[in-house]
Amino acid sequence: MTDSWATTAPGEARAAPEDHRAAPDHHTVLGTDLHLELRGPGLRTGLMDALREAVRTGRLAPGARLPSSRSLAADLGVARNTVADAYAELVAEGWLTARQGSGTRVARRAAPRTPAPAAPRTRPARRRATYSLMPGAPDLAGFPRAQWLTAARRALTRAPHEAFGYGDPGGLAELRTVLADYLARARGVYAAPERVVVCSGFVHGLTLLGTVLRARRVRAVAVESYGLRQHRKVLTDAGLRTPALPLDGYGTRTGELAGVRGAGAVLLTPAHQFPTGVALHPDRRAAAVDWARATDGLILEDDYDGEFRYDRQPVGALQGLDPERVVYLGTASKSLAPGLRLGWMVLPEGLVAEVTAAKGEVDWASSALDQLTLAEFIASGAYDRHVRSMRLRYRRRRDQLVEALDGRPDLRVTGIAAGLHAVVELPAGTERSVIEAAAWQGLAVSGLARFRHEAAEPGPDALVVGYGTPPVSAWTGALDALCRALP
């Protein structure tokens, strides 16, 4: 009679005799988890069929190591010989491989060949985009990895245990307190910590506000005639109309708000209008606040890149004119990286309870560790240093863009010296052809028409050049490709 421990799958080391008087089996703790459903007339056949199916469907990838026969037998509640025999037969069939010291693994079989697709009969495809000057993104290569890691370590070391619970729907107190101090200092925002609600970005914040406004029986939110279509969609999905306010060289014509039927709020980018690049004139700032006071309305202020002004000190946030009529929205998406999914709202006192209720009873949106890290990053001064560093980088790029187009009277860079993008006005009727020419140069770039509200009058032909997007290594190549594509 052969002892059960003496039967091993090919490639497995011979185990020592089991001591059945020992403590409960610990091999399942040491092994690898593998979910299998055994079906069929017998245990061995069912196990083999389950393993074949797992390999065939890709659930067990080529080269994946299987649990030892002892571990899998304990998990499945079957005899070890049953697993060892199944492994041995699958090795013989070519599904598995086994080598001494390497264990039992899924065989690395060649993928079946597929016929090459027929060559297209159309003209050759345009070059895949090598460079991108699409607006809306920072230079991701500039993310301060080392400083962020330092902040994360400090935050993790100092964090109380309670910080890793479900959390307050408004966000962690540590971040809200630091944000209130920073926004007051850097953006002129009246931002008591209890008025700050952390969210996972601007769209998340706008979604919550859309829900609250609809619950308040607001029928429409006025928007700028040029802006992101996604933002308008968020509001329309909430059941709100989005009538357009016209723009000119002084920004959005907020004096026309009184004539917008049913508007209970207006969405503005006052510091640096997206995408036209103009700043809202002081008289029009005042007109927006006067409208909000007279109608019990709200101003939703998107301060998406207010920290990046190059020709003078950044203009303070509109919210400072009337904190009870303006909702201030900011994010780390442009200053750090959109992948952090961290944003914030500074709310009028009467709106805090409704927004936090819309967000939920617990904070589902933002990682506690990321909130603590950002709080430490700001409090330590690293955020200010990073913003100043990136401000210099983006300013140089904008200057280089303007210099590269200097002397070409058919082209004009418009908008204030700020942010991560600039508008390049083109000769009439050339916007589409220039975008096509840029694509042939391997450059992705956007036209101004892409951002026009459906009800707005057409504006000039222009490109919206996101000079903040390329990494340092690609900036020169992207600028050269743009110059070749321009008329």
Side-chain angles (χ1 to χ4, degrees), residues 257-423:
L257 274 167
V260 179
R261 180 175 57 88
V266 58
L267 175 60
L268 298 174
T269 51
H272 186 221
Q273 203 283 325
F274 185 87
T276 64
V278 297
L280 189 62
H281 190 275
D283 290 346
R284 295 188 177 179
R285 286 180 162 229
V289 172
D290 290 343
W291 167 83
R293 290 171 176 169
T295 63
D296 196 26
L298 284 171
I299 300 169
L300 313 182
E301 179 180 10
D302 180 4
D303 195 36
Y304 68 100
D305 66 358
E307 293 150 317
F308 296 110
R309 183 76 185 254
Y310 311 130
D311 57 349
R312 66 189 72 176
Q313 280 291 107
V315 176
L318 176 62
Q319 190 260 12
L321 295 179
D322 194 336
E324 299 306 324
R325 291 294 165 198
V326 182
V327 177
Y328 176 90
L329 297 105
T331 77
S333 296
K334 305 298 184 292
S335 56
L336 286 167
L340 293 178
R341 308 312 309 141
L342 282 171
W344 44 87
M345 294 178 281
V346 183
L347 301 166
E349 186 176 4
L351 206 60
V352 174
E354 294 170 75
V355 171
T356 52
K359 193 179 179 191
E361 294 183 359
V362 294
D363 186 1
W364 299 109
S366 305
S367 158
L369 180 55
D370 288 340
Q371 290 185 61
L372 291 169
T373 302
L374 180 59
E376 172 63 29
F377 195 73
I378 295 173
S380 68
Y383 185 80
D384 284 87
R385 291 190 293 273
H386 173 72
V387 167
R388 287 197 297 270
S389 173
M390 299 308 290
R391 190 183 292 145
L392 290 173
R393 177 180 299 185
Y394 297 142
R395 176 176 185 168
R396 283 195 294 269
R397 292 188 184 184
R398 190 182 191 280
D399 290 346
Q400 289 165 351
L401 172 64
V402 172
E403 183 180 355
L405 303 183
D406 189 34
R408 302 180 66 168
D410 53 340
L411 304 173
R412 187 166 69 102
V413 179
T414 63
I416 62 173
L420 280 67
H421 75 276
V423 175

Side-chain angles (χ1 to χ4, degrees), residues 57-209:
T57 59
R59 199 161 62 81
L60 284 176
R65 184 167 184 167
L66 300 183
S68 69
S69 60
R70 182 190 300 276
S71 175
L72 185 57
D75 288 345
L76 297 177
V78 301
R80 185 182 175 193
N81 286 352
T82 300
V83 178
D85 290 346
Y87 277 3
E89 188 157 342
L90 291 174
V91 168
E93 291 179 6
W95 291 94
L96 306 178
T97 62
R99 282 191 311 178
Q100 187 72 27
S102 181
T104 305
R105 296 178 181 271
V106 177
R108 297 183 180 276
R109 296 177 300 164
R113 290 189 177 184
T114 55
R121 297 183 179 181
T122 57
R123 67 177 184 171
R126 294 175 297 180
R127 290 172 56 189
R128 179 177 296 180
T130 304
Y131 304 108
S132 175
L133 290 174
M134 298 295 287
D139 178 356
L140 299 179
F143 183 78
R145 298 179 187 229
Q147 295 86 349
W148 186 261
L149 181 59
T150 298
R153 285 172 173 162
R154 288 177 179 167
L156 190 58
T157 301
R158 299 172 181 174
H161 301 314
E162 295 76 17
F164 300 102
Y166 286 108
D168 188 311
L172 292 184
E174 292 88 343
L175 179 56
R176 290 156 59 193
T177 300
V178 169
L179 280 172
D181 291 342
Y182 173 79
L183 294 172
R185 169 173 57 82
R187 300 298 299 127
V189 173
Y190 175 76
E194 58 270 17
R195 294 186 178 215
V196 177
V197 172
V198 178
C199 51
S200 63
F202 178 83
V203 169
H204 182 211
L206 188 61
T207 300
L208 296 173
L209 291 168

Side-chain angles (χ1 to χ4, degrees), residues 2-8 14-15 80-81:
T2 305
D3 291 330
S4 60
W5 64 266
T7 303
T8 59
R14 185 177 297 272
R80 185 182 175 193
N81 286 352

